[in-house]
Amino acid sequence: MRILLRLFDQMSTNFRTFVRHAHYFPVTVAGREQRSPDEKELFQHYEVVQEDGVCSRPDVAVILTQDVEGYGKAGEVITVASEILHNELLPLKLVVYPTKFNRRLYNITDEQMSMRSQKKLSFELRTSKELHSTVVIVNMSLDNEWTMEKWHLRVSMRLQGFMVPDDCIILPLNPIVGPNLDLEAKLFRFYVVVNKHIVVPMIGRIQQVSNKMAKKLIMPGLDPHVASEEELKVCEIVPEQIYNSEVELTLSDEEIFQFMQTYNFTCTFN
């Protein structure tokens, strides 16, 4: 029978790998002393039995010890991804585990513990909020004809630090074509679908550029990364909320765009 030999534990990442000998030990003849496996290279070969890091870890319920922006207020019970808990919250002592002592200390009731699933926060929600507050600068040509496609937005978001595949991008229903001086610095609405169930309303800003210095456009006093209320009104863009679906979205791009328009119209008047 093969022997489970070693356990490697890196405390910084809580990542463990179990290994065992790749070859059987020879049976020791009765009356003789067991020889060390280190004497032969063959018996120094190991194979991986299990890597903890490969398995997905469940979300963890914790109690906030202080107000944390994007998570909640001190004393609230939230559920976070294990990665966020160990890499961000625990090292800064922003949370504690809901042990009996801590629940008494922070006056946490059984009802609050049962409601923790409603406060589940994860990387996808934080990313959605970051996307929602970002104005995407889309550089288009001032020299050649173009029609905006998904890859234009993908590249533009990549330049601003977001990796978004084409199938997660929802373009406006009406195609945007150029070059057109009337489109310069104009805002437009599009959507990004995160993990097939969160729809994030996005704002893009068209910026037309040319290889010819004389044809470069300058908009004095304009911060392209900020969309003012006045600009939104001029471009007929209304503020929209992030939509978080409990089930996987199977709608087409057009259906998602139309749904978000209706969803946010309903939220505005309710």
Side-chain angles (χ1 to χ4, degrees), residues 213-229:
M213 294 298 295
K215 294 180 65 176
K216 285 193 174 181
L217 301 180
I218 299 177
M219 305 293 290
L222 174 67
D223 184 352
H225 298 281
V226 177
S228 65
E229 293 184 6

Side-chain angles (χ1 to χ4, degrees), residues 187 205 222 226-237:
L187 303 176
R205 185 189 295 278
L222 174 67
V226 177
S228 65
E229 293 184 6
E230 183 179 353
E231 281 188 287
L232 293 174
K233 289 181 180 179
V234 171
C235 297
E236 299 181 348
I237 297 177

Side-chain angles (χ1 to χ4, degrees), residues 62-77:
V62 291
I63 303 172
L64 289 170
T65 59
Q66 55 186 280
D67 295 352
V68 182
E69 183 178 357
Y71 289 92
K73 297 182 179 180
E76 289 186 343
V77 181

